[in-house]
């Protein structure tokens, strides 16, 4: 098998047949499998997938979830079942034109030094606030996390098996695939593509869902919010010392009368400082536990030379 195409579908009854027809027309000369994942659709998506399978068993594969597990889960299931030399994701709603698959495929065929092609949206089709929100999120994410995210890059990507294996090796349950793509590294070529309007049905990612998704991304890839407390604590402690010195000068040099309120403010700032710093210490341990529980690989191998399966030659 040369190419595996992973297609997460939730309530896409109006798009599936069109998409498959376009895929089939586009990929005439490539040996491919289209892995449809029905992510708990409540419309006729699964019925349509059954029909497609009956019609073209050579190309169509269907995985159907027992309920909606969300797109991230569908993508992982696709990766785990893909058998192609190259794997790619494409949405079911025809917003990502299958013609770009050929562009990605040819790029990988002709550029052995690249492991992945990622399509970047030329025309972001979100309106006003969503667009602002998305840009703000990527800025925040890039400043908080060690990984870097391309703001207009989507999950519309094609990659070699080394990337696929690496993606699967991150076995965390709260998956943020965009971040995982960045985390695993490899040589990525970014190419522009034009997003098309959804042909049928509605987007599952409204404003609230997008905010939740953004929050999950930060949770999965940054422990900096946990360190916020330590920084606040240090500031509070510093403020208490500075205020202590100011009061000292006022009382000893300038002849002010000592006031209980001064002492109370100094004490409060000092105690807050200590508390926040200790919270930060707990945060640091939680961050370590979090990293251990996620059990990400310590390193990812891109290529091996001179090793047999049995060990070093
Ligand atoms: N999708 C999915 N499970 C979900 C939500 C979405 O498999 O819980 C699929 C959906 O069918 C589509 C792709 O993920 O193929 C992208 O979803 P959508 O078009 O709603 O997102 P948008 O393009 O608006 O970001
Ligand atoms: Mg869409």
């Amino acid at each position: 098998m040369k190419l595996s195409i992973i297609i997460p579908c939730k309530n896409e009854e109006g798009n599936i047949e069109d998409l498959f027809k376009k895929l089939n027309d586009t990929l005439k000369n490539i040996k491919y499998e289209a892995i449809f994942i029905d992510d708990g659709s409540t419309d006729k998506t699964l019925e349509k997938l059954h029909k497609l399978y009956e019609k073209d068993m050579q190309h169509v594969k269907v995985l159907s979830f027992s309920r909606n597990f969300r797109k991230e889960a569908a993508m992982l299931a696709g990766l785990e079942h893909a058998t192609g030399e190259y794997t790619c994701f494409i949405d079911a709603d025809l917003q990502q034109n299958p013609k770009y698959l050929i562009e990605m495929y040819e790029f990988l065929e002709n550029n052995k030094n690249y492991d992945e092609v990622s399509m970047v949206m030329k025309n972001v089709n979100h309106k006003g606030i969503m667009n602002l929100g998305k840009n703000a999120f990527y800025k925040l994410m890039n400043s908080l996390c060690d990984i870097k995210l391309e703001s207009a890059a989507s999950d519309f990507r094609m990659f070699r098996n080394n990337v696929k294996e690496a993606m699967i090796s991150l076995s965390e349950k709260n998956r943020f695939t965009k971040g995982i793509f960045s985390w695993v590294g490899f040589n990525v070529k970014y190419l522009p593509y034009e997003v098309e309007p959804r042909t049928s049905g509605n987007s599952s990612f409204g404003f609230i869902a997008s905010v939740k998704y953004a929050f999950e991304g930060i949770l999965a890839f940054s422990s900096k919010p946990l360190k916020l407390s330590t920084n606040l604590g240090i500031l509070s402690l510093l403020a208490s010392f500075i205020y202590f010195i100011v009061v000292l000068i006022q009382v000893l040099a300038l002849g002010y009368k000592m006031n209980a309120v001064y002492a109370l403010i100094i004490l409060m700032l000092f105690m807050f400082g200590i508390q926040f710093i200790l919270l930060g210490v707990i945060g640091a341990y939680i961050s370590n536990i979090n990293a251990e529980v996620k059990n990400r690989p310590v390193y990812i191998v891109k290529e091996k030379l001179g090793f047999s399966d049995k060990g070093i030659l």
Side-chain angles (χ1 to χ4, degrees):
M1 186 65 59
K2 193 73 189 180
L3 175 63
S4 299
I5 304 157
I6 299 171
I7 312 155
C9 312
K10 184 192 162 206
N11 297 343
E12 302 284 4
E13 60 179 5
N15 296 318
I16 278 168
E17 282 146 345
D18 265 6
L19 172 74
F20 184 65
K21 192 177 169 324
K22 283 203 176 137
L23 277 180
N24 214 15
D25 291 346
T26 315
L27 303 172
K28 277 189 296 285
N29 302 319
I30 300 172
K31 239 182 132 215
Y32 78 94
E33 61 181 359
I35 305 175
F36 289 91
I37 295 107
D38 169 42
D39 183 13
S41 297
T42 48
D43 64 357
K44 295 208 169 73
T45 298
L46 189 56
E47 214 174 288
K48 298 244 156 141
L49 289 176
H50 281 172
K51 280 196 190 130
L52 219 56
Y53 174 71
E54 301 289 320
K55 242 173 49 192
D56 190 346
M57 291 185 188
Q58 190 198 341
H59 290 123
V60 177
K61 292 186 177 173
V62 179
L63 266 177
S64 171
F65 283 175
S66 58
R67 65 169 171 84
N68 178 249
F69 283 93
R70 303 198 311 131
K71 186 183 174 189
E72 299 287 324
M75 289 198 285
L76 176 63
L79 289 173
E80 286 177 338
H81 288 82
T83 59
E85 188 184 321
Y86 302 145
T87 306
C88 72
F89 292 116
I90 190 168
D91 285 352
D93 55 8
L94 288 158
Q95 288 197 273
Q96 300 161 339
N97 195 319
K99 73 177 181 195
Y100 295 110
L101 293 179
I102 295 290
E103 206 176 314
M104 290 195 268
Y105 179 83
E106 280 175 357
F107 186 88
L108 286 180
E109 283 282 274
N110 297 323
N111 295 279
K112 300 286 175 213
N113 52 332
Y114 278 93
D115 307 291
E116 179 184 335
V117 184
S118 168
M119 301 308 280
V120 179
M121 291 177 250
K122 252 199 305 198
N123 56 329
V124 183
N125 67 344
H126 296 291
K127 289 172 228 113
I129 184 156
M130 277 297 268
N131 221 352
L132 269 177
K134 281 213 166 175
N135 287 338
F137 163 67
Y138 284 110
K139 282 216 176 92
L140 182 69
M141 186 89 187
N142 284 332
S143 66
L144 283 179
C145 309
D146 299 333
I147 53 162
K148 287 280 160 282
L149 292 182
E150 274 281 325
S151 77
S154 50
D155 297 318
F156 192 23
R157 301 171 188 240
M158 190 180 290
F159 38 90
R160 298 182 197 280
N161 271 335
N162 49 5
V163 179
K164 182 184 83 179
E165 299 302 334
M167 298 287 294
I168 296 172
S169 74
L170 265 75
S171 56
E172 55 213 69
K173 307 286 177 261
N174 292 308
R175 291 180 79 77
F176 182 73
T177 304
K178 259 190 186 191
I180 296 178
F181 268 120
S182 294
W183 194 91
V184 296
F186 295 98
N187 284 359
V188 184
K189 175 73 181 174
Y190 292 96
L191 295 177
Y193 86 103
E194 199 103 24
V195 189
E196 293 177 20
R198 210 172 215 285
T199 44
S200 158
N202 295 317
S203 166
S204 306
F205 294 89
F207 182 70
I208 305 269
S210 297
V211 171
K212 272 192 192 159
Y213 182 65
F215 189 64
E216 271 168 27
I218 291 173
L219 261 187
F221 283 95
S222 175
S223 54
K224 282 201 182 134
L226 285 172
K227 294 183 182 129
L228 194 70
S229 176
T230 314
N231 296 340
L232 267 178
I234 292 171
L235 271 181
S236 186
L237 218 56
L238 260 178
S240 86
F241 283 130
I242 291 170
Y243 194 54
F244 174 68
I245 290 167
V246 169
V247 170
L248 216 60
I249 293 170
Q250 283 177 337
V251 171
L252 296 181
L254 306 174
Y256 282 43
K257 255 183 94 187
M258 185 60 195
N259 189 326
V261 176
Y262 299 160
L264 217 61
I265 291 174
I266 292 169
L267 193 69
M268 262 173 59
L269 285 172
F270 184 78
M271 290 314 290
F272 277 143
I274 300 280
Q275 275 189 20
F276 280 133
I277 287 173
L278 287 181
L279 262 182
V281 171
I282 296 174
Y285 279 98
I286 291 179
S287 151
N288 275 3
I289 294 169
N290 194 24
E292 294 292 339
V293 169
K294 271 195 228 134
N295 205 13
R296 285 182 185 158
V298 179
Y299 58 85
I300 285 175
V301 174
K302 185 167 131 73
E303 195 185 334
K304 277 187 188 176
L305 276 179
F307 291 92
S308 74
D309 282 349
K310 292 184 193 78
I312 300 167
L313 282 175

